[in-house]
Amino acid sequence: MALRLGLVGAGFIAGVYAHAAARVPAVQLTAVASPRSAAEFASRWGIPHAFDDWRRLLAEAPIDAVAIAAPNDLHAPVAIAAAAAGKHVLCEKPLACGLPAAREMVDACDRAGVLLACAENLLFAPMYERAAALVRRGELGEPYLVRQVQAHAGPYADWFWQVDRTGGGALIDMGAHGVALVSRLLGAWPESVSAVLSRFLHAARTPAEDHALVHLRFPGGALATVEASWAAPGGADLLEVVGPRGRLVANLDRGPAIDLYREPGPGPGAGPSGWHHVMYEEAWQFGFPQELEHFADAVAGRAAPRFSGRDALRVLEIICAAYESARTGSPVVLPFESTAPRAIDHWLGAPAT
Protein backbone atom coordinates (compact mmCIF):
# COMPACT_ATOMS: atom_id res chain seq x y z
CA MET A 1 0.00 0.00 0.00
CA ALA A 2 1.33 3.42 -0.93
CA LEU A 3 2.30 5.90 1.76
CA ARG A 4 -0.37 8.63 1.85
CA LEU A 5 1.56 11.88 2.09
CA GLY A 6 0.33 15.34 3.01
CA LEU A 7 2.38 18.30 1.80
CA VAL A 8 2.69 21.43 3.95
CA GLY A 9 3.65 24.26 1.63
CA ALA A 10 2.96 25.11 -2.00
CA GLY A 11 6.05 27.01 -3.07
CA PHE A 12 9.04 26.08 -5.19
CA ILE A 13 10.30 23.12 -3.17
CA ALA A 14 6.75 21.80 -2.75
CA GLY A 15 6.51 21.70 -6.54
CA VAL A 16 9.71 19.66 -6.64
CA TYR A 17 8.15 17.21 -4.19
CA ALA A 18 4.98 16.96 -6.26
CA HIS A 19 6.99 16.31 -9.42
CA ALA A 20 9.08 13.69 -7.61
CA ALA A 21 6.09 11.96 -6.01
CA ALA A 22 4.54 11.39 -9.43
CA ARG A 23 7.53 9.13 -10.17
CA VAL A 24 7.33 7.10 -6.95
CA PRO A 25 4.58 4.44 -6.84
CA ALA A 26 5.26 3.91 -3.12
CA VAL A 27 4.06 7.46 -2.37
CA GLN A 28 0.59 8.88 -2.96
CA LEU A 29 0.41 12.67 -2.61
CA THR A 30 -2.99 12.95 -0.97
CA ALA A 31 -3.28 16.49 0.42
CA VAL A 32 -1.64 19.90 0.43
CA ALA A 33 -1.92 22.86 2.79
CA SER A 34 -1.02 26.49 2.08
CA PRO A 35 -2.71 29.70 3.28
CA ARG A 36 -3.03 31.19 -0.21
CA SER A 37 -2.37 28.72 -3.01
CA ALA A 38 -3.37 25.23 -1.90
CA ALA A 39 -6.35 24.90 -4.25
CA GLU A 40 -4.40 26.00 -7.33
CA PHE A 41 -1.47 23.77 -6.40
CA ALA A 42 -3.77 20.78 -5.84
CA SER A 43 -5.46 21.34 -9.20
CA ARG A 44 -2.13 21.60 -11.01
CA TRP A 45 -0.76 18.37 -9.53
CA GLY A 46 -3.95 16.33 -9.23
CA ILE A 47 -3.98 16.26 -5.43
CA PRO A 48 -7.43 15.33 -4.07
CA HIS A 49 -7.47 17.40 -0.85
CA ALA A 50 -6.48 21.05 -0.36
CA PHE A 51 -6.49 23.06 2.87
CA ASP A 52 -5.72 26.67 3.73
CA ASP A 53 -4.36 25.68 7.14
CA TRP A 54 -1.91 22.89 7.94
CA ARG A 55 -3.79 22.17 11.17
CA ARG A 56 -6.84 21.20 9.14
CA LEU A 57 -4.68 18.97 6.95
CA LEU A 58 -3.47 17.09 10.04
CA ALA A 59 -6.99 16.81 11.46
CA GLU A 60 -8.97 15.99 8.33
CA ALA A 61 -6.79 14.61 5.53
CA PRO A 62 -6.47 10.83 5.03
CA ILE A 63 -2.68 10.76 5.39
CA ASP A 64 0.02 8.63 7.00
CA ALA A 65 2.81 11.22 6.92
CA VAL A 66 3.60 14.85 6.19
CA ALA A 67 6.36 16.45 4.16
CA ILE A 68 7.16 19.90 5.51
CA ALA A 69 8.12 22.23 2.66
CA ALA A 70 7.30 25.45 4.50
CA PRO A 71 9.44 28.28 5.92
CA ASN A 72 11.88 27.21 8.63
CA ASP A 73 9.97 28.79 11.53
CA LEU A 74 7.03 26.47 10.79
CA HIS A 75 9.06 23.26 10.86
CA ALA A 76 8.82 22.73 14.61
CA PRO A 77 5.13 23.53 15.17
CA VAL A 78 4.05 21.41 12.19
CA ALA A 79 6.30 18.48 13.10
CA ILE A 80 5.30 18.48 16.77
CA ALA A 81 1.59 18.63 15.90
CA ALA A 82 2.03 15.92 13.27
CA ALA A 83 3.72 13.65 15.81
CA ALA A 84 0.85 14.22 18.25
CA ALA A 85 -1.54 13.18 15.47
CA GLY A 86 0.46 9.98 14.85
CA LYS A 87 1.88 11.08 11.47
CA HIS A 88 5.41 10.39 10.29
CA VAL A 89 7.43 13.47 9.32
CA LEU A 90 9.77 14.30 6.45
CA CYS A 91 11.11 17.80 7.11
CA GLU A 92 13.08 20.06 4.82
CA LYS A 93 16.48 21.23 6.03
CA PRO A 94 17.36 22.89 8.33
CA LEU A 95 15.42 21.00 10.97
CA ALA A 96 14.49 24.27 12.73
CA CYS A 97 15.68 27.85 13.23
CA GLY A 98 17.65 26.86 16.33
CA LEU A 99 18.58 23.89 18.48
CA PRO A 100 15.85 24.26 21.16
CA ALA A 101 13.03 23.88 18.63
CA ALA A 102 14.88 21.10 16.82
CA ARG A 103 15.28 19.15 20.06
CA GLU A 104 11.54 19.51 20.71
CA MET A 105 10.84 18.05 17.28
CA VAL A 106 13.07 15.03 17.87
CA ASP A 107 11.65 14.44 21.35
CA ALA A 108 8.03 14.78 20.17
CA CYS A 109 8.51 12.24 17.38
CA ASP A 110 10.35 9.85 19.71
CA ARG A 111 7.52 10.02 22.27
CA ALA A 112 4.89 9.44 19.59
CA GLY A 113 6.80 6.56 18.01
CA VAL A 114 6.77 8.15 14.55
CA LEU A 115 9.65 8.58 12.13
CA LEU A 116 11.30 11.97 11.83
CA ALA A 117 13.53 12.20 8.75
CA CYS A 118 15.25 15.25 7.30
CA ALA A 119 15.07 15.82 3.57
CA GLU A 120 18.74 15.88 2.66
CA ASN A 121 18.33 15.20 -1.04
CA LEU A 122 22.05 15.39 -1.89
CA LEU A 123 22.60 12.10 -0.05
CA PHE A 124 20.44 10.55 -2.78
CA ALA A 125 21.86 12.41 -5.80
CA PRO A 126 23.26 9.69 -8.11
CA MET A 127 26.46 11.58 -8.91
CA TYR A 128 27.29 12.13 -5.25
CA GLU A 129 26.28 8.57 -4.37
CA ARG A 130 28.71 7.31 -7.00
CA ALA A 131 31.45 9.62 -5.71
CA ALA A 132 30.94 8.31 -2.17
CA ALA A 133 31.08 4.71 -3.43
CA LEU A 134 34.41 5.41 -5.15
CA VAL A 135 35.78 6.86 -1.93
CA ARG A 136 34.56 3.86 0.09
CA ARG A 137 36.14 1.53 -2.48
CA GLY A 138 39.51 3.11 -1.77
CA GLU A 139 40.11 4.72 -5.14
CA LEU A 140 41.73 7.76 -3.46
CA GLY A 141 43.15 6.08 -0.40
CA GLU A 142 42.10 7.54 2.96
CA PRO A 143 40.67 10.99 2.11
CA TYR A 144 42.23 13.93 3.92
CA LEU A 145 40.71 16.94 2.12
CA VAL A 146 37.06 17.44 1.14
CA ARG A 147 35.41 20.53 -0.34
CA GLN A 148 31.71 21.04 -0.97
CA VAL A 149 30.21 24.15 -2.56
CA GLN A 150 26.54 25.15 -2.55
CA ALA A 151 26.01 28.51 -4.20
CA HIS A 152 23.58 30.68 -6.14
CA ALA A 153 22.77 34.39 -6.43
CA GLY A 154 20.03 34.53 -3.80
CA PRO A 155 16.85 32.89 -2.50
CA TYR A 156 13.71 32.29 -4.54
CA ALA A 157 11.23 33.56 -1.90
CA ASP A 158 11.08 36.72 0.21
CA TRP A 159 10.81 34.92 3.55
CA PHE A 160 14.44 33.81 3.25
CA TRP A 161 15.53 37.39 3.96
CA GLN A 162 13.76 37.41 7.36
CA VAL A 163 16.03 35.91 10.02
CA ASP A 164 13.09 35.31 12.37
CA ARG A 165 11.71 32.94 9.73
CA THR A 166 14.98 31.32 8.63
CA GLY A 167 17.25 31.29 11.67
CA GLY A 168 20.11 32.63 9.54
CA GLY A 169 21.33 33.21 6.02
CA ALA A 170 23.29 31.24 3.46
CA LEU A 171 25.02 29.16 6.13
CA ILE A 172 21.89 27.62 7.63
CA ASP A 173 20.18 27.44 4.23
CA MET A 174 22.89 26.11 1.91
CA GLY A 175 25.54 25.04 4.40
CA ALA A 176 23.26 22.39 5.88
CA HIS A 177 23.68 20.43 2.63
CA GLY A 178 27.44 20.63 2.69
CA VAL A 179 27.88 19.71 6.37
CA ALA A 180 25.64 16.68 5.96
CA LEU A 181 27.32 15.53 2.75
CA VAL A 182 30.95 15.80 3.88
CA SER A 183 30.20 14.21 7.26
CA ARG A 184 28.46 11.27 5.61
CA LEU A 185 31.24 10.89 3.04
CA LEU A 186 33.93 10.81 5.74
CA GLY A 187 31.83 8.53 7.95
CA ALA A 188 32.20 10.73 11.03
CA TRP A 189 31.11 13.97 12.64
CA PRO A 190 33.65 16.80 12.93
CA GLU A 191 35.53 17.52 16.14
CA SER A 192 35.78 21.29 15.65
CA VAL A 193 34.54 24.04 13.35
CA SER A 194 35.72 27.50 12.32
CA ALA A 195 33.92 29.90 10.02
CA VAL A 196 34.09 33.27 8.29
CA LEU A 197 30.85 34.97 7.23
CA SER A 198 30.33 37.93 4.91
CA ARG A 199 27.67 40.18 3.43
CA PHE A 200 28.57 40.83 -0.20
CA LEU A 201 25.40 41.35 -2.27
CA HIS A 202 22.35 41.44 -0.02
CA ALA A 203 23.16 43.56 3.05
CA ALA A 204 20.32 45.95 2.16
CA ARG A 205 17.78 43.11 2.33
CA THR A 206 18.87 41.10 5.36
CA PRO A 207 21.13 41.26 8.41
CA ALA A 208 22.12 37.66 7.65
CA GLU A 209 25.25 36.49 5.89
CA ASP A 210 25.09 35.87 2.16
CA HIS A 211 28.38 33.97 2.03
CA ALA A 212 29.96 31.48 4.43
CA LEU A 213 33.25 29.59 4.52
CA VAL A 214 33.22 26.78 7.09
CA HIS A 215 36.24 24.64 7.98
CA LEU A 216 35.65 21.29 9.70
CA ARG A 217 38.30 19.11 11.38
CA PHE A 218 37.47 15.41 11.64
CA PRO A 219 38.80 12.59 13.82
CA GLY A 220 42.09 11.35 12.36
CA GLY A 221 42.95 14.79 10.97
CA ALA A 222 40.87 15.01 7.78
CA LEU A 223 39.76 18.54 6.85
CA ALA A 224 36.65 19.68 5.02
CA THR A 225 35.63 23.06 3.67
CA VAL A 226 31.97 23.87 3.16
CA GLU A 227 31.22 26.98 1.10
CA ALA A 228 27.66 28.27 1.14
CA SER A 229 26.66 31.35 -0.83
CA TRP A 230 23.75 33.52 -1.85
CA ALA A 231 26.27 35.79 -3.60
CA ALA A 232 27.44 33.64 -6.51
CA PRO A 233 25.80 34.51 -9.85
CA GLY A 234 25.70 31.42 -12.02
CA GLY A 235 25.66 29.10 -9.02
CA ALA A 236 27.63 25.98 -8.14
CA ASP A 237 27.05 22.54 -6.65
CA LEU A 238 30.22 20.49 -6.49
CA LEU A 239 32.17 18.04 -4.38
CA GLU A 240 35.94 17.57 -4.35
CA VAL A 241 37.76 14.83 -2.44
CA VAL A 242 41.53 14.39 -2.18
CA GLY A 243 43.47 11.40 -0.88
CA PRO A 244 47.03 10.08 -1.16
CA ARG A 245 46.19 8.07 -4.28
CA GLY A 246 44.10 10.53 -6.21
CA ARG A 247 41.54 13.32 -6.48
CA LEU A 248 37.84 13.26 -7.31
CA VAL A 249 35.68 16.13 -8.55
CA ALA A 250 31.90 15.75 -8.96
CA ASN A 251 30.18 18.79 -10.46
CA LEU A 252 26.47 18.20 -9.99
CA ASP A 253 25.49 21.60 -11.30
CA ARG A 254 27.23 21.00 -14.65
CA GLY A 255 26.22 17.48 -15.53
CA PRO A 256 24.86 15.22 -16.75
CA ALA A 257 23.49 17.77 -19.16
CA ILE A 258 23.06 18.77 -22.79
CA ASP A 259 25.19 21.49 -24.38
CA LEU A 260 22.84 23.74 -26.35
CA TYR A 261 23.86 26.60 -28.65
CA ARG A 262 21.35 29.26 -29.80
CA GLU A 263 22.03 31.68 -32.63
CA PRO A 264 21.32 35.36 -31.96
CA GLY A 265 18.09 36.80 -33.27
CA PRO A 266 14.41 35.83 -33.23
CA GLY A 267 13.38 32.21 -33.41
CA PRO A 268 11.17 29.54 -31.85
CA GLY A 269 13.64 28.81 -29.03
CA ALA A 270 13.28 30.65 -25.73
CA GLY A 271 16.19 32.28 -23.94
CA PRO A 272 19.36 34.19 -24.80
CA SER A 273 21.81 33.25 -27.52
CA GLY A 274 25.09 31.43 -27.00
CA TRP A 275 26.05 28.18 -25.31
CA HIS A 276 23.85 26.81 -22.53
CA HIS A 277 24.17 23.82 -20.23
CA VAL A 278 20.72 22.17 -20.09
CA MET A 279 20.21 19.59 -17.35
CA TYR A 280 17.61 16.87 -17.92
CA GLU A 281 15.65 14.87 -15.33
CA GLU A 282 16.78 17.49 -12.83
CA ALA A 283 14.67 16.20 -9.91
CA TRP A 284 16.20 12.72 -10.32
CA GLN A 285 19.74 14.09 -10.72
CA PHE A 286 19.32 15.94 -7.42
CA GLY A 287 17.87 12.89 -5.65
CA PHE A 288 14.30 13.97 -4.89
CA PRO A 289 12.33 10.91 -6.12
CA GLN A 290 14.90 8.59 -4.52
CA GLU A 291 14.56 10.51 -1.24
CA LEU A 292 10.76 10.10 -1.22
CA GLU A 293 10.98 6.40 -2.06
CA HIS A 294 13.49 5.89 0.75
CA PHE A 295 11.21 7.74 3.20
CA ALA A 296 8.34 5.41 2.29
CA ASP A 297 10.64 2.41 2.77
CA ALA A 298 11.79 3.72 6.15
CA VAL A 299 8.21 4.29 7.34
CA ALA A 300 7.33 0.74 6.28
CA GLY A 301 10.38 -0.69 8.05
CA ARG A 302 12.02 -1.78 4.82
CA ALA A 303 15.05 0.48 5.36
CA ALA A 304 16.83 2.33 8.13
CA PRO A 305 16.53 6.13 7.74
CA ARG A 306 19.53 7.44 5.84
CA PHE A 307 19.30 10.89 7.45
CA SER A 308 17.25 10.94 10.64
CA GLY A 309 16.02 13.82 12.76
CA ARG A 310 18.93 13.20 15.13
CA ASP A 311 21.36 13.47 12.21
CA ALA A 312 19.78 16.79 11.23
CA LEU A 313 20.00 17.91 14.86
CA ARG A 314 23.74 17.25 14.73
CA VAL A 315 24.10 19.27 11.54
CA LEU A 316 22.24 22.19 13.11
CA GLU A 317 24.53 21.99 16.15
CA ILE A 318 27.54 22.31 13.83
CA ILE A 319 25.94 25.29 12.09
CA CYS A 320 25.31 27.01 15.44
CA ALA A 321 28.96 26.42 16.34
CA ALA A 322 30.01 27.88 12.98
CA TYR A 323 28.06 31.08 13.70
CA GLU A 324 29.75 31.23 17.12
CA SER A 325 33.16 30.81 15.51
CA ALA A 326 32.44 33.60 13.04
CA ARG A 327 31.57 35.91 15.95
CA THR A 328 34.60 35.08 18.11
CA GLY A 329 37.16 34.52 15.37
CA SER A 330 38.24 31.24 16.97
CA PRO A 331 37.58 27.55 16.30
CA VAL A 332 34.77 25.97 18.31
CA VAL A 333 35.14 22.48 19.74
CA LEU A 334 32.24 20.09 19.24
CA PRO A 335 29.81 19.10 20.66
CA PHE A 336 28.37 22.59 21.16
CA GLU A 337 25.50 23.57 23.44
CA SER A 338 23.06 26.24 22.29
CA THR A 339 19.90 27.71 23.77
CA ALA A 340 19.63 30.41 21.09
CA PRO A 341 16.20 30.39 19.37
CA ARG A 342 17.91 31.32 16.10
CA ALA A 343 21.23 29.86 15.00
CA ILE A 344 22.35 33.26 13.72
CA ASP A 345 22.07 34.73 17.24
CA HIS A 346 25.54 33.28 17.83
CA TRP A 347 26.87 35.68 15.19
CA LEU A 348 24.64 38.73 15.54
CA GLY A 349 24.99 38.92 19.32
CA ALA A 350 25.14 37.05 22.59
CA PRO A 351 22.95 33.95 22.40
CA ALA A 352 19.91 33.59 24.62
CA THR A 353 20.42 31.77 27.92
Side-chain angles (χ1 to χ4, degrees), residues 58-77:
L58 292 176
E60 302 174 25
I63 59 172
D64 308 304
V66 294
I68 304 174
N72 301 350
D73 62 319
L74 293 177
H75 291 184

Side-chain angles (χ1 to χ4, degrees), residues 119-215:
E120 188 39 76
N121 63 289
L122 292 188
L123 298 183
F124 299 88
M127 180 180 286
Y128 286 164
E129 282 195 302
R130 178 61 174 158
L134 291 171
V135 171
R136 289 193 301 269
R137 199 169 74 186
E139 292 287 343
L140 310 180
E142 192 69 25
Y144 53 79
L145 291 176
V146 181
R147 184 169 72 104
Q148 212 281 322
V149 180
Q150 289 284 307
H152 54 54
Y156 54 80
D158 286 342
W159 64 265
F160 281 93
W161 307 113
Q162 304 168 37
V163 293
D164 285 338
R165 306 219 69 186
T166 60
L171 171 56
I172 197 171
D173 177 38
M174 311 286 283
H177 283 307
V179 172
L181 188 61
V182 302
S183 298
R184 188 54 52 91
L185 186 141
L186 290 171
W189 295 107
E191 295 179 327
S192 66
V193 56
S194 59
V196 178
L197 309 181
S198 302
R199 300 184 187 99
F200 288 129
L201 291 185
H202 304 298
R205 303 194 68 176
T206 178
E209 77 291 346
D210 61 16
H211 193 88
L213 280 174
V214 180
H215 301 288

Side-chain angles (χ1 to χ4, degrees), residues 6 22 24 28-29 34 48 95 98 100 107 137 139 153 175 211 233 236 262 266 298-299 304 309 316 324 337 342-343:
V24 181
Q28 179 185 359
L29 195 52
S34 175
L95 201 57
D107 290 345
R137 199 169 74 186
E139 292 287 343
H211 193 88
R262 294 193 191 97
V299 168
L316 187 55
E324 179 73 8
E337 293 293 329
R342 309 176 307 180

